[in-house]
Amino acid sequence: MHKRTLMKDFVEELKWRGMIHDQMPGVVDYLKEGMGTAYVGIDPTADSLHIGHLVSVMMLKHFQVCGHKPIVVMGGATGMIGDPSGKSEERNLLDEETLRHNQESIKEQLKSFLDFDSSETNAALMTNNYDWMKDFSFLSFIRDVGKHLTVNYMMAKDSVKKRLSGEANEGMSFTEFTYQLVQGYDFLHLYQNYNCRLQMGGSDQWGNITTGTELIRRKTGGSAFALTCPLITKADGGKFGKTETGNIWLDPAKTSPYAFYQFWLNTSDEDAEKYIKIFTLLDQETIEKLTARHREEPHMRLLQKSLAEELTIMVHSEEEYNSAVEASQILFGKGTADTLQKLSESMFLSIFEGVPLEEISRAQLEAGIPVLEFASDIAKAFTSRGEARRMVKDNGLSINKEKVGEDLIIGTQHLLNNRYILVQKGKKNFYIVRVA
RNA sequence: GGGGAGAUUCCAGAGCGGUUAAACGGGGCAGACUGUAAAUCUGUUGGCUAAGCCUUCGGAGGUUCGAAUCCUCCUCUCCCCA
């Protein structure tokens, strides 16, 4: 509980975790002076963070743990423009109401990571650049901000160069070209109002961040710094944080805690070694021990389990974590069919929370329904009966965890808790039918 | 504005006028193996009241006993020249 007295060196901390891609000279010295202030930007494009945001958030987390003051800047203004770094397409404007709603939801989520408690001197702070940009007139902006940087300087940025010369040769609108100035101004604003002298972000943000430090230098003569982390990759080349079903969100309504837990649990060995350093707060010694053990007995998947545990507890809760583990054991463990029968209704529901659910009338069930029809038409596990037929032939369909044949008739005797029937396609796809 | 190429089932890409629900590959899904992994191997991949039937090859017409394959028009895409 007295972490602050044993203040860790922030840069050293990020270094061993492999979270530093690049930094401007002077960062270390700046942070040695005492409590520093740093910010990262987050686009409020949705009312929830997804795990792609987690790296920046963890940087802030470590920053705060090391005794410094983190600021989150919601990109209410910048989010409207679209960052030319990367392939982002033209953004839609969000109306102010949505913006505020998203900001509030995200702040709620950030509370699991950062301490916003105002009694602490290094309490985290949340701001929105929409607030200081919305009334900034175009004329003022080009006089006060645009004047200080040359187009030559701005054009030298990779993000711009790529768009102007690249094979893609899509060109770039003036709006997008201006993006770095707007983001740069954010930094200046924070520098002047909160004495914030460090901006962090993914390595793709380097160019934008340095525009900010340059602006600060030219306009105020002060010095500010940049620190970026490597982009998170997957060993197989896929995009991190995406699954077939889409983004992994922190919002339990968008991604159930069970799915969240499963995502981390399914990390590949290679990635797990990287991720555990980036996404958990476990200390170096613990991680090194875990990694060593994991290499000896990789099938135990110690790293994946720790990763999933740490993250699920941090983002959701210990209870959610426990039920995710329990659910996983029932779904993938041994005591399948029997355990399933013994589950209480509430347990059953919490395990299968988020699993697609369809309803059926009791009368319909009493009459009896052929499995194929049941699995495709009722449970919607298949798009057609032909597909269901094939799957059954391949031994890929289970009802209540038991493989079934084509001729089975589903009736009330299959009900669990007198109310549910579990349909399973292959190993990992579950569907539930409930008596209405 | 002139000239050329093309549009095929999730993608990519074949396709003598009949034997083509449409090759090969990728992806997806499933099975085996395993660590709920990777790799590998196997099966499958339009629908149905299923040894049969129905709907598909950019759109609309036409030729033909019969068309994804031939003709006409339309729409869209790409390339080259000005």
Side-chain angles (χ1 to χ4, degrees):
Chain A
M1 284 295 111
H2 300 289
K3 276 176 191 159
R4 202 143 295 137
T5 51
L6 327 157
M7 202 194 269
K8 282 182 285 184
D9 183 312
F10 175 66
V11 175
E12 282 304 316
E13 180 72 15
L14 289 200
K15 223 178 243 172
W16 76 260
R17 289 181 184 272
M19 291 173 76
I20 293 187
H21 182 260
D22 212 345
Q23 55 176 314
M24 276 176 61
V27 176
V28 176
D29 291 336
Y30 163 55
L31 294 177
K32 277 200 182 121
E33 290 169 17
M35 189 185 83
T37 304
Y39 92 94
V40 306
I42 292 178
D43 277 353
T45 40
D47 63 1
S48 170
L49 296 171
H50 54 77
I51 58 175
H53 289 117
L54 239 38
V55 191
S56 315
V57 175
M58 288 312 288
M59 282 204 284
L60 284 185
K61 172 74 182 172
H62 288 298
F63 194 67
Q64 189 170 38
V65 167
C66 291
H68 303 291
K69 185 179 185 71
I71 299 181
V72 178
V73 173
M74 300 303 288
T78 35
M80 290 175 171
I81 299 175
D83 184 354
S85 315
K87 295 164 211 149
S88 37
E89 291 169 15
E90 205 70 32
R91 301 283 173 80
N92 288 326
L93 269 74
L94 296 168
D95 60 61
E96 184 157 0
E97 196 186 335
T98 313
L99 205 59
R100 295 298 173 199
H101 167 72
N102 292 351
Q103 176 178 351
E104 280 315 303
S105 310
I106 290 176
K107 184 169 181 180
E108 261 327 291
Q109 295 181 332
L110 286 172
K111 282 182 182 167
S112 321
F113 298 89
L114 302 174
D115 176 12
F116 286 89
D117 182 348
S118 55
S119 67
E120 304 281 346
T121 49
N122 70 331
L125 202 68
M126 172 173 274
T127 59
N128 191 328
N129 60 16
Y130 183 75
D131 291 330
W132 59 79
M133 288 308 301
K134 67 178 173 187
D135 297 323
F136 211 148
S137 79
F138 179 71
L139 208 53
S140 309
F141 189 79
I142 56 176
R143 284 175 58 103
D144 294 350
V145 181
K147 193 71 178 168
H148 296 278
L149 292 172
T150 63
V151 168
N152 311 48
Y153 175 80
M154 291 170 67
M155 298 231 296
K157 303 282 175 185
D158 271 354
S159 60
V160 176
K161 265 198 293 195
K162 261 182 213 153
R163 291 288 290 274
L164 293 182
S165 64
E167 303 81 49
N169 108 64
E170 288 161 35
M172 130 186 250
S173 67
F174 176 71
T175 308
E176 282 185 296
F177 180 59
T178 316
Y179 183 90
Q180 55 173 297
L181 278 189
V182 181
Q183 184 168 330
Y185 177 76
D186 283 348
F187 201 173
L188 176 63
H189 178 90
L190 293 167
Y191 175 81
Q192 290 175 324
N193 291 277
Y194 301 96
N195 193 30
C196 173
R197 293 177 64 191
L198 175 62
Q199 183 180 168
M200 306 190 286
S203 56
D204 59 327
Q205 289 301 309
W206 183 259
N208 291 332
I209 297 175
T210 52
T211 297
T213 59
E214 190 63 13
L215 186 62
I216 289 169
R217 194 179 66 78
R218 297 202 189 189
K219 197 165 158 86
T220 74
S223 59
F225 310 98
L227 189 153
T228 56
C229 68
L231 290 181
I232 307 300
T233 54
K234 286 207 305 186
D236 67 7
K239 203 163 189 278
F240 171 74
K242 293 261 163 75
T243 65
E244 315 76 51
T245 41
N247 273 325
I248 302 293
W249 300 93
L250 302 204
D251 182 350
K254 289 185 164 68
T255 299
S256 72
Y258 168 73
F260 184 86
Y261 171 82
Q262 282 288 322
F263 171 82
W264 295 105
L265 194 64
N266 280 310
T267 307
S268 72
D269 294 348
E270 210 174 322
D271 291 332
E273 290 192 19
K274 273 191 310 180
Y275 294 174
I276 194 139
K277 289 188 285 186
I278 295 173
F279 296 109
T280 73
L281 292 173
L282 299 175
D283 61 48
Q284 188 162 12
E285 199 190 335
T286 310
I287 288 182
E288 277 168 3
K289 274 185 192 159
L290 270 175
T291 305
R293 279 180 62 198
H294 179 263
R295 284 183 179 162
E296 270 167 38
E297 34 182 19
H299 60 283
M300 296 307 287
R301 295 193 298 159
L302 281 172
L303 285 178
Q304 285 91 336
K305 282 178 185 165
S306 312
L307 193 58
E309 175 180 349
E310 293 290 321
L311 268 297
T312 309
I313 292 177
M314 182 150 55
V315 171
H316 298 292
S317 67
E318 183 125 25
E319 293 78 61
E320 297 286 13
Y321 162 72
N322 287 332
S323 51
V325 172
E326 216 160 334
S328 302
Q329 274 163 0
I330 286 166
L331 295 182
F332 299 104
K334 305 163 197 159
T336 52
D338 283 341
T339 3
L340 198 62
Q341 294 287 348
K342 288 177 199 145
L343 282 182
S344 71
E345 175 162 2
S346 61
M347 192 60 211
F348 180 86
L349 285 178
S350 72
I351 287 173
F352 293 104
E353 192 185 336
V355 166
L357 187 138
E358 298 294 335
E359 300 205 316
I360 187 177
S361 73
R362 188 166 288 271
Q364 225 174 332
L365 203 57
E366 275 162 359
I369 307 171
V371 235
L372 296 183
E373 189 180 334
F374 182 80
S376 51
D377 296 4
I378 311 285
K380 306 258 178 15
F382 305 98
T383 49
S384 73
R385 284 192 210 171
E387 197 189 339
R389 202 181 311 273
R390 262 180 253 123
M391 202 59 72
V392 168
K393 218 162 59 188
D394 284 349
N395 205 23
L397 178 67
S398 307
I399 299 290
N400 297 338
K401 294 291 290 183
E402 283 183 342
K403 300 281 186 195
V404 297
E406 190 170 343
D407 303 324
L408 184 72
I409 303 292
I410 301 293
T412 46
Q413 76 278 13
H414 291 99
L415 288 175
L416 300 167
N417 279 304
N418 200 27
R419 188 126 194 248
Y420 304 94
I421 294 176
L422 180 67
V423 179
Q424 181 180 5
K425 177 172 78 170
K427 288 187 184 118
K428 296 186 190 174
N429 306 296
F430 296 92
Y431 308 83
I432 291 175
V433 173
R434 178 172 71 188
V435 173

